[in-house]
Structures are given as C-alpha cells and as structure tokens.
Amino acid sequence: MGLIYSKRLRGWRFALFNLCLGLGHAVVIFNAGAYIAMLPRVAGGLSIPPSFATWTQTDYMTSLALGFPVGAWLARRKGECRPFVWAFLVFALASLVCAFSASLYPYLAARIVLGFAGGVTLPLGQTLVLKEYPDRKKSAGIGVWSLFTLTPFTFGPPLGGWIADHLGWRWLFLFNVPVSLAIAGIVGALLYGRGAKTAFSHFDWVGFGLLAVAMGSFQTLLNQGNDWDWTNSGYLNALIIICIASLLYWIVWEIGSRRPFLDVRLFAHRNFTIGVLLLSAGFLFFQGLLSLLIVQLQLTMGYSSFLAGLVFLPMAIFAKPVAGVFHEVVKRFDARPLACANLLGFAGVYFWLSRFDDPASFDRLFWPKLIEGICLGTFFGPLTALMLHGVPPAQQPRAVDMAGLMRIAAGAIGISLQTVVFYRRAPFHMTRLAETLTPLDPPYGLAMDTLTGAGLAEPAATVQLAKIAKQQAAIHSVNDAFWIAGCAFTAMALLVWLAQPTREPRRLPWVRRALELLAREV
C-alpha cells in the first residue's frame, strides 16, 4: 500500500494539470479523428491501395479498445500517475516509428502500439482529472473532460486535412512526439512525490489473450474480405474459425473466472445490455460514415484533404456547448425519451444525407452536419445514464470498462463495415448506369452532345462520360450507406423503450398514500 497525499493542486498548477490531461486525451483521439482525412495521402506515401490504408486506422482503434481496460487495471495495481507517464513515453516512441516508416508492415505495427498506449491513457487520465476536483464539483470535471472528448471529432478532420495538404501526413506523428513528451514530463512533475492507493490485482491474461485474438481476427476479416473474396478464400475461412472459437472460449472462460478481464455477467442487467448495445451501434455508424464520407469526398469527388475535413467543422458549432450542459439535464429526466429523441435526430440527419446528389454543392452537406453536431453533443449522456441504471455501484467501474472497449471497437468495425457496403453497392450502381447509358438511349446522346459541344472529341467524351458515371455510382453507394444508417437509428430509437425508466414517474399524493396502504396490507 503506497503513501497517499490528499492535498489537491491549486491555482495555476490545477489549470496546467487540466490542460495537460485534456490535451493528452485529445491527442489520442485526434490520432483517430484527424487521421481519417489523411488516409488517401497515407496510401500514396506508402505505395499501397486505399483499402490497405484503412487497416492502419481500424487496427489503431482496435488496439485502443484493448488498451482501455488494461489502463483501468494498471490504475488499481500501480496507481494512475506512473502508468500514465510511461504510456505517453511509449506513445511518443511509436509516433517516431510511424513518422519514419517507409513500408506498410512496420508502420502498421507502430500504429498498433500507438493505439494500445493511447488506450491505456484514457481511463488513467479521466481518473487523474476527477481526483483533483472536490466531490461537489465532480460534474464540472466530467463536463471539462467531455469537451476534450468531442474536440477531435469536430476539429480533427479539417486540421488533419490541412496538415496532410500543406505539411505532409507524417507531420501528424512528428507533432505527437514533443506533445507526448511534454504531457508526460509536466504531469509527472506536478504529481511528483504524491503516493497512490495501490493493491495487488490479478490480471486475467487468458481472457485478455482470447479477446485480443477474437477482435484481431474479426477486424482482419473485415479489412481484407473484399480483397480476398470472403468465403472463397481459405485464409479468410481460417480467420472465421479462429474468431468464433476464441470468442466462444472467451465467453465461457470469463463466466467461470473469479477475476475476469471483462465481466460478461453485466449483460444480465437489462438496461446495461440495451445501453451498451445502443452506444456501440451508434458509434459504429457514426465513425464508419465519417470515415467513408471523408475518404470518398477525396477519391471520387475531387476534394482536397482540407476541404473534405472542413465538411465536418459545422458539427463543432453546437456539439461541445450542448455536451457541456446536457449531462446536467440527464440527471433530472428519464433517459429513455432523451435517448429516443437523440437517435431519431441521427436517423433524420442520415436520411437527409442519403439524398445528396451534387458533388460540387458544399452547402448541401453543411446543414445536416450542423444538426448532426447537436445529436453528437446529446448522444453519450442519456445512453450512459441508461446503461448504468440498475448496475450496483461496485460493478459500475467494470461496466464503464466494458462499454469503453465495445464502443471504441465498434468504431473500428464501423469503418471496415461501411467500406464493405460501399464496395458492394458501387458495382451495382455502375451496372444500372451502364444499362441506361447506351447509344440507343436518349440520355446517352444528350450527354455526348453536351460533352462534344464543350470541345471534346468523341473518344475523349466517351472517357469523360465513363468517369462521370463512376462518380455517380460512388455517390449513390455513399447514399445507400447513409440510408441504411437512418433505418438502423430508427430501430434503435424503438429499442430504447425496452429499457427500464431511469427516473421514477411523479405520483400524486393520494396515489402515494394508496400505494403505502397497499404495501402495509401486503
């Protein structure tokens, strides 16, 4: 048991401490949010197809998810400060390797280490922040932390796109190095000499290994399915068997373990099951569609990395202000109608975006993204309250660990899943366009007359028409992905009502007296 110094930081030290921890949290998430805008540039820099570049994002997020519960265990075993500092030192070293890697596999390995170190810092940083706030101001600390959580999703894509266009994508990792070292040094100096409550805590290495194998094989299956033709590949069939076997064995092992890596018995609570599924599914669609849109704006519609990232900037107008106050609203109302309204808002936005048809019309994306920012700011609060309702206080840290891992892993799955949807629907729409744009159809003649009238020779006009058809097929494929998401969010809004209310309804005085009398008689 280590020495404990309960004296909290004050004044400029307190402000600097909050800034460093918030910046550290933002940097870890920023390497996921800003990196999306860089994917086409990364593919070109490493001389790999765009689908291969997606691995470097999804594997980062998968390792981020696995590092999250490990950070919570390190907090119990070693305290929060030392693991936090060491994790950021590893983060800086992995960033340096990413910055100077010239081929895919060393770069991918460094991205996996980068994600795991970042995932370890997430629960440690939040615990360190909340420890410095008195009990009456814990909600203020949570509000500050939520602001830094949303920043990478709103400002990250345009800033990442600007870095990719003007400095080069490797500069993201070069910036990581001094920032990570500064965070580790300042936090270590501010908390130097302060002890921590530590205790021996068993780590379930078997459970961790089985889950890592299951998640890794499933993510690899999604990443490479289109390239290896799914079940027609013996390699992918082997991955399917490994994933199913390790997942089933993991569930059996965790149920029988006295100190499981993740407590699957939490799914016996109805509200936890519904809440964590909605959180994970919502983040799956949000993160996947964000990645799909920002990449296809560059690859098929000719946007620069910065302009593609700028599409998401309107979300920042309302996302953070709304999130800053909405966690207080959740305390006063039943979370179910709030969550239902939020999910229906997402459904409306995605149905709206599924009607996009003009690649040159930037304002057609501005207004739905503005409303999506409001939905993003109100997404986490109600579903977190719903998830934790009915879970005993002693099990709530475990519930948070489980939800964090599932939510981040769902984001990685969503990126691969939306890519699968796109590459499945694009050939379908291209075939439909080829069936209608034939020399015997009037639209073909009208299009050719327009192109030849603009000064193109007939062969060049045919090539240009094929490019336009390919672009339209890509737009329709992206629209299909948004339409599917709209349907999914509508179903999720209905699923909310299967949960138990998080706040008891108010009863009139005579109703309360009647219930009291009935209870006495029973």
Side-chain angles (χ1 to χ4, degrees), residues 447-461 464:
M448 288 296 291
D449 290 341
T450 302
L451 293 172
T452 54
L456 294 176
E458 186 170 344
Q464 185 63 30

Side-chain angles (χ1 to χ4, degrees), residues 272-508:
F272 175 80
T273 302
I274 294 174
V276 77
L277 288 178
L278 292 177
L279 270 171
S280 302
F283 201 71
L284 180 149
F285 283 103
F286 170 77
Q287 184 71 35
L289 292 172
L290 185 151
S291 176
L292 176 65
L293 181 59
I294 204 169
V295 170
Q296 293 307 318
L297 284 174
Q298 297 176 67
L299 294 181
T300 64
M301 303 182 201
Y303 283 52
S304 67
S305 298
F306 175 66
L307 284 178
L310 206 61
V311 168
F312 297 89
L313 192 60
M315 292 194 300
I317 298 175
F318 291 118
K320 293 201 290 183
V322 169
V325 299
F326 203 71
H327 67 279
E328 293 291 339
V329 176
V330 173
K331 298 177 182 178
R332 294 170 171 80
F333 298 95
D334 183 9
R336 295 180 304 167
L338 298 176
C340 180
N342 172 268
L343 296 170
L344 289 176
F346 268 114
V349 167
Y350 290 146
F351 281 132
W352 188 357
L353 285 169
S354 71
R355 300 174 62 84
F356 180 75
D357 60 0
D358 185 359
S361 182
F362 193 88
D363 61 318
R364 294 282 296 276
L365 296 171
F366 174 85
W367 295 108
K369 287 298 173 183
L370 186 71
I371 299 174
E372 189 178 7
I374 301 175
C375 297
L376 180 61
T378 58
F379 176 69
F380 295 100
L383 291 179
T384 302
L386 189 75
M387 175 188 73
L388 294 178
H389 180 74
V391 178
Q395 291 183 297
Q396 287 186 3
R398 288 279 191 177
V400 171
D401 292 346
M402 174 76 81
L405 184 144
M406 290 185 62
R407 177 174 58 82
I408 299 171
I413 294 170
I415 294 173
S416 300
L417 198 60
Q418 297 302 336
T419 304
V420 171
V421 171
F422 176 82
Y423 284 110
R424 286 286 176 175
R425 297 298 293 174
F428 169 79
H429 288 293
M430 194 65 187
T431 303
R432 294 291 299 272
L433 287 170
E435 291 172 351
T436 56
L437 287 175
T438 66
L440 300 178
D441 294 318
Y444 178 86
L446 181 61
M448 288 296 291
D449 290 341
T450 302
L451 293 172
T452 54
L456 294 176
E458 186 170 344
T462 303
V463 172
Q464 185 63 30
L465 184 60
K467 290 180 179 179
I468 294 172
K470 183 178 180 181
Q471 184 187 67
Q472 289 300 313
I475 291 174
H476 286 305
S477 302
V478 173
N479 289 347
D480 288 348
F482 279 109
W483 187 84
I484 292 170
C487 294
F489 272 95
T490 303
M492 290 158 60
L494 298 176
L495 182 62
V496 166
W497 296 102
L498 296 180
Q500 297 172 340
T502 61
R503 186 176 178 84
E504 291 296 327
R506 294 182 179 180
R507 297 188 176 94
L508 296 174

Side-chain angles (χ1 to χ4, degrees), residues 228-252:
W228 291 81
D229 198 19
W230 298 100
T231 54
N232 292 322
S233 165
Y235 163 62
L236 293 186
N237 287 330
L239 282 179
I240 293 172
I241 295 172
I242 292 171
C243 177
I244 295 175
S246 56
L247 182 62
L248 292 176
Y249 190 23
W250 175 74
I251 293 173
V252 173

